[in-house]
Amino acid sequence: MTTSANDTSETSATSATIESALLQQRPVKMLIGGQWVEAASGKTFATLNPATGRTLAQVAEGDAEDINRAVAAARKAFESGPWPKMTPSQRGRLLWRVAELIEEHAEELALLETLDNGKPIRYSKASDVPLTADHFRYFAGWATKIEGETIPVSIPNMFTYTLREPLGVVGQIIPWNFPMQMASWKLAPALAAGNTVVLKPAEQTPLTALRIGELMCEAGFPDGVVNIVPGFGAAGAALAAHPDVDKIAFTGSTEVGKKVLQASAGNLKKVTLELGGKSPNIIFPDADMKWAIRGALTAIYFNSGQICTAGSRLFIHRSVYDETLGQLAEAANAMRVGAGMDPATEVGPVISQEQLDRVTGYIESGKSEGAVARTGGERLGGDLSDGYFLRPTVLDAVSDEMTVAREEIFGPVVVALPFEEVEEVAARANQSIYGLAAGVWTSDIKKAHKMVSLLKSGVVWVNTYNQFDAAAPFGGYRQSGYGREMGRAVLDAYTQIKTAWINLR
Ligand code: NDP
């Protein structure tokens, strides 16, 4: 295994500049009604750098009172003022401008994301920032294409048509694993459709969402259209229960997703949930093994395994099991683990001490049930001991029933499981409360299509993994949630249909 704790001097200098600038502008305020304000309570909380455990910034701590203020501002902006009078084209231009501003501030946003979340800067630059900009641009295009239909009813002299209208005030609650991308997945389609928004970022990673809020103000969004309230779970709960919120879009754990659903019942909010996963990644013996092993590494270690689609159950055909697992463990062991600010880093820290404890707890539970770590399994020390670094871990001698094979670990830990037959592996892969994503590695086109049809999940990747595009719908089956993000499909979640009957007689 290679560790890389030392930044290059140039990146380190930029990082130090941003860190000190952040610490100077204490506290980072919240966005309500077009104003940057402190929490009503005056409280703040610390957001940490997971690579060092040090405080990065103090942030205004929103609670139920701030959610009330933000919802009132969003309601006012939805009902009156410039927003409801804007044409779809004007809304689209604003979203397009946000994409441009994100690109103009790409370097700063990438650094901020890496500092706050810990992810390798190479991914913040190559993936998080461009995909965030792309999301705004893609939905800028949709603003002018949200169409109704004419309906050929069978009643004489009636002209019947539908309009697609916005829902109203939308509450959006996002997690810490892709803070900037998650903000764009939520904000862009909601605004393209003409809603107003109150966004609650995760307590661990509020900084890039707030920065994007600043860029949205700069782009010209009217006051109150976008409100961003950082805070703890209680702020999310207040948003989910608020009687004047029309819809909640939530991404996070299945456990909290269920709470959000219960809280939303009071005024029958529309709810969409993008929740957890325990995704199977299946390697057949006829696969191109070099790519399959690379793909299996990406599937589980990308973002330190903190991704809802993580390929955390690796099924390998028994005929190639030992050899493939040996190569995978060797490659995992060779990955460069280190501070995200180091451009050479491939695997950064996990998000927090709590998450580190949770993931190591799972590894210990696996071992106590008989699993064996082929590589990894422990926290890293030395230069990395202040951060939350874990070695990429491969668990062998696992059975389908073990906790580590059933529950979402959300860390750099894969469990390996041998299989023999197509139907058998599909049935075992489907044996989960989740159904978010699945991977298949084979050079047999018939087998590929068969697996696509057998696997019960919202996305199936064949000979690739973790591909996302603003145009391609994404979401879960079963307890991975419902509703879809991205593509045309997400617009259904942010609009409602009005049917008009005109008597022509
Ligand atoms: P949560 O589901 O708790 O957090 C997601 C978001 O919901 C955060 O903004 C959080 O706020 C907010 N929240 C927390 N409690 C409530 C509530 N009662 N009502 C409304 N909103 C609430 O995830 P965690 O951050 O606690 O992570 C725990 C585990 O969840 C992870 O280990 C992982 O297994 C899973 N997870 C899965 C994700 C996925 O995409 N599938 C994403 C994140 C986590 P706050 O940040 O203040 O807690």
Side-chain angles (χ1 to χ4, degrees):
M1 184 200 49
T2 316
T3 61
S4 55
N6 298 324
D7 301 345
T8 64
S9 55
E10 193 186 333
T11 314
S12 169
T14 326
S15 146
T17 315
I18 290 200
E19 274 200 71
S20 74
L22 280 170
L23 290 169
Q24 273 162 24
Q25 46 158 284
R26 276 182 285 179
V28 178
K29 294 181 178 168
M30 60 180 81
L31 176 60
I32 296 181
Q35 305 297 312
W36 290 93
V37 296
E38 290 177 10
S41 67
K43 285 192 197 165
T44 63
F45 66 100
T47 183
L48 307 183
N49 179 344
T52 60
R54 287 200 301 269
T55 296
L56 200 52
Q58 289 290 332
V59 180
E61 183 188 321
D63 62 14
E65 182 51 34
D66 302 295
I67 291 291
N68 283 340
R69 292 196 288 162
V71 172
R75 174 60 59 196
K76 190 172 162 209
F78 182 75
E79 304 293 350
S80 57
W83 183 246
K85 297 191 196 87
M86 275 191 182
T87 64
S89 162
Q90 287 170 323
R91 290 202 304 270
R93 276 166 191 261
L94 288 177
L95 289 165
W96 190 275
R97 182 67 192 130
V98 176
E100 287 175 341
L101 286 169
I102 288 169
E103 283 165 352
E104 283 167 28
H105 294 84
E107 183 77 14
E108 177 208 343
L109 285 166
L111 288 168
L112 206 52
E113 192 78 325
T114 287
L115 286 171
D116 207 14
N117 167 278
K119 65 179 63 196
I121 189 74
R122 60 163 73 180
Y123 297 126
S124 296
K125 283 185 180 174
S127 165
D128 293 87
V129 173
L131 288 178
T132 300
D134 191 50
H135 218 81
F136 279 100
R137 192 165 278 127
Y138 174 81
F139 282 101
W142 266 114
T144 48
K145 295 164 196 73
I146 300 173
E147 298 168 344
E149 292 172 326
T150 52
I151 314 289
V153 295
S154 301
I155 303 170
N157 297 314
M158 290 294 160
F159 172 50
T160 307
Y161 62 91
T162 61
L163 299 171
R164 274 206 171 264
E165 297 190 332
L167 297 171
V169 175
V170 172
Q172 305 186 316
I173 304 170
I174 56 173
W176 40 259
N177 52 347
F178 292 87
M180 197 169 14
Q181 285 196 61
M182 288 300 105
S184 70
W185 285 23
K186 296 285 184 269
L187 291 167
L191 297 168
N195 300 283
T196 58
V197 170
V198 177
L199 175 78
K200 208 248 1 127
E203 71 197 50
Q204 298 86 348
T205 54
L207 298 181
T208 43
L210 288 164
R211 184 71 183 107
I212 283 180
E214 285 180 336
L215 298 178
M216 295 183 89
C217 292
E218 190 180 333
F221 276 90
D223 292 353
V225 171
V226 179
N227 304 274
I228 304 182
V229 181
F232 293 98
L239 189 57
H242 201 291
D244 203 26
V245 170
D246 299 296
K247 184 229 158 76
I248 287 282
F250 173 82
T251 298
S253 60
T254 293
E255 188 190 346
V256 174
K258 289 178 185 176
K259 288 187 191 166
V260 165
L261 189 57
Q262 281 164 356
S264 70
N267 66 332
L268 289 182
K269 292 177 186 66
K270 274 75 177 168
V271 177
T272 43
L273 302 169
E274 203 267 273
L275 308 175
K278 189 73 187 174
S279 300
N281 190 21
I282 303 164
I283 302 182
F284 285 96
D286 57 18
D288 179 331
M289 283 302 165
K290 189 177 109 191
W291 287 106
I293 289 169
R294 275 193 204 175
L297 285 179
T298 306
I300 186 62
Y301 300 124
F302 178 59
N303 217 43
S304 301
Q306 303 169 124
I307 178 166
C308 47
T309 54
S312 51
R313 285 186 293 154
L314 181 62
F315 289 94
I316 307 173
H317 194 269
R318 194 177 290 285
S319 64
V320 292
Y321 182 82
D322 286 333
E323 193 189 339
T324 307
L325 194 61
Q327 287 178 31
L328 180 87
E330 198 179 315
N333 192 43
M335 292 184 95
R336 292 178 70 95
V337 182
M341 291 306 295
D342 182 343
T345 291
E346 293 170 290
V347 181
V350 296
I351 189 72
S352 62
Q353 182 67 48
E354 189 187 352
Q355 193 65 11
L356 185 78
D357 293 342
R358 190 184 149 94
V359 177
T360 48
Y362 271 114
I363 295 170
E364 289 317 310
S365 112
K367 286 181 180 167
S368 72
E369 289 183 67
V372 175
R374 291 282 289 256
T375 186
E378 73 281 339
R379 183 179 188 169
L380 286 160
D383 289 346
L384 301 179
S385 59
D386 289 339
Y388 314 121
F389 294 93
L390 265 173
R391 279 227 268 166
T393 301
V394 177
L395 293 181
D396 191 8
V398 174
S399 69
D400 293 349
E401 293 71 35
M402 285 184 189
T403 309
V404 284
R406 289 185 291 105
E407 295 187 9
E408 182 175 49
I409 297 177
F410 227 61
V413 182
V414 68
V415 301
L417 300 151
F419 74 93
E420 278 163 22
E421 303 292 339
V422 169
E423 276 79 8
E424 170 224 330
V425 74
R428 288 170 62 199
N430 288 336
Q431 223 175 74
S432 171
I433 62 164
Y434 299 113
L436 191 56
V440 176
W441 300 86
T442 178
S443 19
D444 177 346
I445 188 76
K446 285 193 203 155
K447 202 183 284 168
H449 284 295
K450 176 145 198 184
M451 289 303 293
V452 169
S453 94
L454 288 175
L455 289 166
K456 294 185 167 60
S457 65
V459 57
V460 181
W461 289 296
V462 178
N463 296 331
T464 185
Y465 207 94
N466 276 339
Q467 299 288 355
F468 297 92
D469 188 284
F474 174 75
Y477 282 20
R478 301 191 283 203
Q479 290 191 39
S480 290
Y482 46 73
R484 291 292 176 269
E485 310 267 5
M486 303 197 272
R488 174 199 286 256
V490 71
L491 295 166
D492 291 343
Y494 287 111
T495 53
Q496 52 196 340
I497 294 175
K498 178 181 280 173
T499 307
W501 294 76
I502 313 291
N503 189 346
L504 299 177
R505 195 163 37 192

